[in-house]
Amino acid sequence: MLIEIKDAAFEPYQRLLDYQVSANFAGKYGATAVFVGSMREFNQGDDVEAMELEHYPGMTEKYLQKISEEAASKWDILDSLIVHRVGEMQPNDPIVLVAVWSAHRAAAFDASRYLMEELKSRAPFWKKESLSDKSRWVDKNT
Amino acid sequence: MLIEIKDAAFEPYQRLLDYQVSANFAGKYGATAVFVGSMREFNQGDDVEAMELEHYPGMTEKYLQKISEEAASKWDILDSLIVHRVGEMQPNDPIVLVAVWSAHRAAAFDASRYLMEELKSRAPFWKKESLSDKSRWVDKNT
Amino acid sequence: MTEAVIKIKFFASLREQVGQADAEVAESHASTVIEAWNSATNNMTMPENTLMAVNMDYVEASHAVKAGDEVAFFPPVTGG
Amino acid sequence: MTEAVIKIKFFASLREQVGQADAEVAESHASTVIEAWNSATNNMTMPENTLMAVNMDYVEASHAVKAGDEVAFFPPVTGG
C-alpha cells in the first residue's frame, strides 16, 4: 500500500511497471484494475491552457492512507497504489493514478472505483484552471 | 476501437503507452480505466506451472468487436482497446488488457468492467493448466 | 460436391472428448445443429453446458443448418 | 505564550476570499471551530459548503478547539 504526491509530471504506466517490480508479488495476482485521471484541454465549454493543483500537505496523505486502508478492509486485495500530482500542469498531463491488485477481478474493480470516488470526495485537492483570459477555481467535482 | 490477439508475451502498460501515441487523442480524455488479467501461479489450491490458451480464430475477433461496439453504444467513451493472449504462457504473464478512454470517469469505469464481464462470458477462449503431474482444462470462469 | 457439406469444429475439452478437431457432415444428414452433432459424433451424448455456434454466432441446438455452414461445439469459455 | 493559540489555515478559493493563508487565534477567543473562523476572519460570513478540519480530520462547525490545534477551512475538494 503506497501513497505518493508528485510535484512534477509523472508517467503512470511506467510508474506501474516500476512498482510491480519493487512489490515482488509476481504470480500472486490475477487482476489489476487501474484508473488514470488526466487533464483535458477543455472544461465547461472553455479551452483550458494550464492548471494549478493545490493541496493540504499532511491531510492529503492522511486521507489517501485512510481510504487505502478502508479499501483493504472491505475487499480481498493484495495491494494498492495511489499517485497524485500537485502544482502547475499542462493539458494531457496525468493527474492521478490508482491501481489495485487482487487474485480475482471483482475485488480489484470494486476497490479501484471506491478509491477514486472517495479520493474525489474527501482528499483535500483543489484545481484552478487558466483560460486564455482569466483563471478560475473549479467549484465542484464531476 | 482496436482488438488484438497475441500469440506471444506482451507488456500491457507498454502497449497502452504506444496505443495512446498512435491514437492521437491527447487532451481529449480525462479518464482511462484499465484492467489487466494475468496468470497466477496457483489455482484451486494447486501450483500451476504453465497454461495453454486455446481460442476459436475468427469467432474470437468477432465477439470482441461486438462487445466493444456494445460498450461504445451504451456509454459515452472515446475509444477502447482489447488485447488478449493465446498459446503457451507462464505464471505472471499478462493474459488480457482492456482499456477505455472517456471524458469523465463513470463511463470509463462502467465500460471497462462491461468489456471484461462480457469477454469472460462470451469470447471463445479456453484455458488448460499444466500442474506438476498432469494437465487439466479450467472448467468454469470465476 | 464440397458445397453439400456442413463443416463441424470442436474445441478444447470437447475436442479431446470427441477425438477430432474438424469434421464434415453431409447436408442430407443434418438439418439442425443437434443433428449435425449426432452425425459428426456417431450419436455421442452431448455433455451438459456444451455451447454451439453457427457461422460464429451462438445458437441453440434446434437452430437450422445448411450446406456451407460452419458449426462449432465447445465447452463454457474461460478466457480473460 | 505560543501554546495558547489555535493555528488557522485557509485553502484555495477560500484563502483568496479571506485574503490570508494562515492565522492564529488566541485560545481565549474561540472554543469551537465556528468561533475560530469568526475570530480569524473578523466575522466574515462563511461561504456555503465550506469544509472544516481540526488536526486534519473533517469536523462540524460546532466541534471544540483548544490551544495547539490546527483548524483548516476550505471549499469543496476537486482533485482526481
Side-chain angles (χ1 to χ4, degrees):
Chain A
M1 187 184 296
L2 183 65
I3 307 298
E4 289 181 340
I5 307 295
K6 299 260 193 200
D7 61 4
F10 73 104
E11 208 306 297
Y13 303 118
Q14 189 58 53
R15 185 69 194 87
L16 274 176
L17 282 168
D18 296 342
Y19 186 76
Q20 289 191 159
V21 170
S22 68
N24 194 30
F25 49 26
K28 304 285 185 277
Y29 58 92
T32 311
V34 175
F35 181 84
V36 176
S38 47
M39 185 184 158
R40 285 181 298 128
E41 62 194 9
F42 57 93
N43 192 28
Q44 299 174 9
D46 297 303
D47 289 346
V48 182
E49 301 187 342
M51 193 163 73
E52 163 124 37
L53 238 159
E54 183 174 332
H55 76 127
Y56 181 176
M59 185 166 171
T60 310
E61 292 84 347
K62 180 175 182 170
Y63 270 77
L64 296 183
Q65 186 70 31
K66 191 192 289 270
I67 65 177
S68 297
E69 288 166 4
E70 288 170 5
S73 73
K74 284 173 190 285
W75 291 280
D76 187 14
I77 65 178
L78 270 78
D79 204 358
S80 66
L81 169 66
I82 301 178
V83 183
H84 203 293
R85 178 82 182 276
V86 294
E88 287 286 339
M89 66 191 68
Q90 309 299 319
N92 199 44
D93 278 2
I95 300 169
V96 63
L97 163 66
V98 164
V100 176
W101 291 265
S102 62
H104 301 289
R105 72 187 182 286
F109 272 125
D110 287 342
S112 67
R113 191 158 192 171
Y114 178 85
L115 289 176
M116 270 309 298
E117 298 304 327
E118 295 301 308
L119 183 157
K120 295 268 286 188
S121 66
R122 295 158 72 194
F125 294 103
W126 303 276
K127 289 173 180 158
K128 191 176 197 176
E129 297 175 335
S130 296
L131 311 185
S132 61
D133 57 344
K134 63 174 179 179
S135 67
R136 67 180 176 201
W137 291 97
V138 176
D139 63 357
K140 62 169 183 276
N141 256 335
T142 50
Chain B
M1 189 184 293
L2 183 65
I3 306 299
E4 288 181 342
I5 307 295
K6 299 261 193 201
D7 61 4
F10 73 104
E11 209 304 299
Y13 303 118
Q14 189 58 51
R15 184 69 194 88
L16 275 176
L17 282 168
D18 295 342
Y19 186 76
Q20 289 192 158
V21 170
S22 69
N24 195 31
F25 50 26
K28 303 287 186 274
Y29 58 91
T32 311
V34 175
F35 181 84
V36 177
S38 46
M39 184 184 158
R40 286 181 297 128
E41 63 196 9
F42 57 92
N43 192 28
Q44 299 174 9
D46 299 302
D47 289 346
V48 182
E49 301 188 344
M51 194 165 73
E52 164 122 35
L53 238 159
E54 183 174 333
H55 76 128
Y56 182 175
M59 185 167 172
T60 310
E61 292 83 348
K62 181 176 182 169
Y63 270 78
L64 296 183
Q65 187 68 32
K66 192 192 287 269
I67 64 177
S68 297
E69 287 166 6
E70 288 170 5
S73 74
K74 285 174 189 285
W75 291 282
D76 187 14
I77 65 178
L78 271 78
D79 204 359
S80 66
L81 169 66
I82 301 178
V83 182
H84 203 293
R85 178 81 181 277
V86 294
E88 286 285 340
M89 65 191 69
Q90 309 300 321
N92 199 43
D93 278 3
I95 300 169
V96 61
L97 162 66
V98 164
V100 176
W101 290 265
S102 61
H104 301 289
R105 73 188 181 285
F109 273 124
D110 287 342
S112 67
R113 192 157 191 171
Y114 178 84
L115 289 177
M116 271 309 299
E117 299 302 328
E118 296 300 309
L119 183 158
K120 295 265 287 187
S121 65
R122 295 158 74 193
F125 294 103
W126 303 276
K127 288 173 181 157
K128 189 176 197 176
E129 296 174 337
S130 297
L131 311 186
S132 60
D133 56 344
K134 63 175 178 179
S135 66
R136 67 180 176 201
W137 291 97
V138 176
D139 63 356
K140 62 169 184 275
N141 255 335
T142 50
Chain C
M1 278 181 40
T2 53
E3 306 91 82
V5 298
I6 298 155
K7 293 173 58 185
I8 314 290
K9 286 174 170 285
F10 303 98
F11 290 97
S13 57
L14 207 57
R15 172 173 49 70
E16 295 181 352
Q17 288 166 49
V18 170
Q20 54 187 351
D22 296 281
E24 289 191 347
V25 168
E27 185 179 24
S28 58
H29 289 177
S31 60
T32 64
V33 169
I34 188 66
E35 288 170 9
W37 166 275
N38 288 336
S39 179
T41 66
N42 202 16
N43 294 306
M44 187 177 134
T45 301
M46 184 185 283
E48 259 192 277
N49 300 325
T50 294
L51 298 174
M52 292 154 266
V54 171
N55 299 329
M56 303 183 180
D57 272 317
Y58 287 105
V59 296
E60 300 297 316
S62 59
H63 192 87
V65 294
K66 62 180 189 308
D69 281 350
E70 177 171 298
V71 181
F73 299 95
F74 46 82
V77 304
T78 57
Chain D
M1 277 181 44
T2 53
E3 306 92 80
V5 299
I6 298 154
K7 294 172 58 186
I8 313 291
K9 286 176 170 284
F10 302 98
F11 290 97
S13 57
L14 206 57
R15 172 173 47 72
E16 294 182 355
Q17 288 166 50
V18 170
Q20 54 187 351
D22 297 280
E24 290 189 346
V25 168
E27 184 179 26
S28 58
H29 289 176
S31 60
T32 63
V33 169
I34 188 66
E35 287 171 8
W37 166 275
N38 288 336
S39 179
T41 66
N42 203 16
N43 294 305
M44 188 178 133
T45 302
M46 184 186 282
E48 258 193 277
N49 300 325
T50 294
L51 297 173
M52 292 154 267
V54 171
N55 299 328
M56 302 184 181
D57 273 317
Y58 287 105
V59 296
E60 300 295 318
S62 59
H63 192 86
V65 294
K66 62 180 188 307
D69 281 351
E70 177 172 295
V71 181
F73 299 95
F74 45 82
V77 303
T78 56

